[in-house]
Amino acid sequence: MIRAVVIAACIAAGVSAPVWADVPGATPLQVEYYQLRLTLPPGAAVRQTLKRTTESETNGKVIRTRLEAEYLSQLSRHPDGYRIVKTLVNTAFKVEGAEADAERLELEKVMQAAAAIRDITYIADESLTPLRLENWPQLRNRLKAAMRRSGAIDAREGDAFDGLYGPMTAETAAEQFLPEDALLAIPHNLGLSLNNPYRLDSLINGPFGGTISARESLTLTAWDEAAGEAEVLYESGPTREALDAYALRVRPALEQAAARTARIRKAAPVPVGDIQLDIGTTCRYRISLKTGLVSRAECQSVRDIRQGDDRRRHRENWVLGEIAK
């Protein structure tokens, strides 16, 4: 996530402090930086609301899930920033478009298990970016027990659960279990100049293994002292050139895998076919100048994969908000 490197964008100068471009022979250019300072009192609590719609399409078959939830997070100071106890206040979950009742039932079992974990404690940095889950082994055991109770996994599938989550570190678990908290933290404590994008390069995991070069940008698009709000646009994803280069790079491995499968099945290899990818995330934030918290965020994540006749389309849309209590 961008927060690991975007700290470099936090300008040490004060809000609206002028910076002059010193170029010999040129007219001095004034650039004003604005800081979105996070100002929370000791022992603060933050109420977080979430609406998430996930739509997955596999070769024409569409499954849509809708989640609405409300959380209350209690903050206390920690050497790394904050210790946060996040408690689920209420939640509602719905599955739409599943062609088979069995698929709908399995999804509902998983969400029932997730809702049974009413609280998560984690360590966050000064911008509230999740760093690691506290007592991750115990939380992992609680989740496994909840999935057993809901019927999401049986005794045999418990081994698969252990294989997936057993080696997972507390840091990786924070990324997986707190994605919305990471999204909300992106504009916290940023220092940006108006309509002057801050850009950086990064790497993201590719759908066929390995990594893809990506570009990220943050743009302060509005600063309204009267309304007490600022607006920030966040965009992240690989360029078309990077996606095409990645597809070319993974093709030999996919062809080798197809050949191995054909040998096992004693059949002709299935051609890999064209590889087309579309990956990216966009968020539009409205931020309170009083607290630095995100009053509203609208985000969309796109992850479309086409390999020959196999087509997989994945969309996630969020409406998020947080206020100090």
Side-chain angles (χ1 to χ4, degrees):
M1 183 57 71
I2 192 174
R3 288 300 316 184
V5 284
V6 121
I7 298 301
C10 296
I11 308 301
V15 175
S16 300
V19 177
W20 296 89
D22 186 12
V23 180
T27 302
L29 174 65
Q30 184 180 21
V31 179
E32 291 186 323
Y33 285 93
Y34 300 84
Q35 285 192 320
L36 298 166
R37 287 193 177 95
L38 194 62
T39 56
L40 297 173
V46 176
R47 175 180 172 269
Q48 183 187 107
T49 55
L50 159 67
K51 292 184 180 180
R52 184 181 70 207
T53 301
T54 304
E55 184 174 287
S56 297
E57 179 180 348
T58 304
N59 298 327
K61 181 180 178 180
V62 179
I63 295 178
R64 185 181 298 106
T65 62
R66 300 184 187 276
L67 172 66
E68 294 190 21
E70 180 182 348
Y71 305 90
L72 187 64
S73 295
Q74 191 70 45
L75 283 61
S76 58
R77 296 300 302 186
H78 184 274
D80 291 331
Y82 292 93
R83 179 180 183 269
I84 301 177
V85 181
K86 180 179 178 179
T87 302
L88 177 65
V89 177
N90 58 63
T91 184
F93 178 73
K94 186 178 182 181
V95 183
E96 302 172 348
E99 296 180 4
D101 289 339
E103 292 185 26
R104 180 183 291 107
L105 181 60
E106 288 305 311
L107 282 169
E108 289 174 347
K109 287 178 180 178
V110 171
M111 292 306 298
Q112 180 183 344
I117 307 300
R118 306 294 296 186
D119 60 272
I120 294 179
T121 302
Y122 64 97
I123 306 303
D125 66 12
E126 293 288 346
S127 299
L128 304 186
T129 306
L131 299 177
R132 61 187 178 274
L133 295 187
E134 189 174 80
N135 300 321
W136 162 234
Q138 291 84 346
L139 177 61
R140 183 178 58 219
N141 293 338
R142 288 169 56 197
L143 179 61
K144 182 179 179 181
M147 293 187 73
R148 290 286 298 272
R149 288 194 301 270
S150 72
I153 60 174
D154 55 25
R156 182 178 58 184
E157 293 167 329
D159 293 335
F161 179 96
D162 292 337
L164 177 63
Y165 292 107
M168 186 175 290
T169 66
E171 291 76 13
T172 302
E175 294 179 6
Q176 178 157 339
F177 288 93
L178 300 167
E180 284 81 24
D181 299 86
L183 281 175
L184 283 169
I186 286 176
H188 292 164
N189 287 330
L190 286 184
L192 298 167
S193 60
L194 193 61
N195 295 319
N196 184 21
Y198 175 82
R199 297 186 176 93
L200 56 109
D201 295 327
S202 62
L203 292 174
I204 63 171
N205 294 325
F208 300 107
T211 58
I212 308 175
S213 298
R215 292 180 177 176
E216 297 179 286
S217 69
L218 282 158
T219 307
L220 179 66
T221 58
W223 183 278
D224 191 336
E225 293 279 359
E229 290 186 336
E231 295 180 5
V232 170
L233 171 64
Y234 168 65
E235 297 175 294
S236 170
T239 63
R240 175 49 51 194
E241 292 77 11
L243 289 170
D244 291 344
Y246 173 80
L248 186 64
R249 192 168 69 247
V250 300
R251 175 176 288 278
L254 295 177
E255 291 174 341
Q256 292 173 9
R260 286 195 299 269
T261 301
R263 285 196 298 270
I264 294 172
R265 296 178 178 177
K266 297 181 180 180
V270 177
V272 171
D274 292 335
I275 302 173
Q276 297 181 6
L277 305 171
D278 187 11
I279 299 172
T281 299
T282 302
C283 287
R284 297 183 182 277
Y285 296 98
R286 193 163 66 233
I287 301 137
S288 165
L289 299 183
K290 180 179 179 181
T291 64
L293 292 172
V294 176
S295 55
R296 183 178 176 88
E298 297 181 6
C299 301
Q300 183 184 64
S301 172
V302 174
R303 193 175 180 88
D304 295 348
I305 304 169
R306 177 179 177 182
Q307 180 192 338
D309 295 331
D310 185 27
R311 301 185 181 187
R312 300 174 185 271
R313 185 176 65 89
H314 188 82
R315 297 281 193 281
E316 281 194 287
N317 289 277
W318 295 268
V319 177
L320 303 164
E322 55 183 0
I323 59 172
K325 299 292 288 185

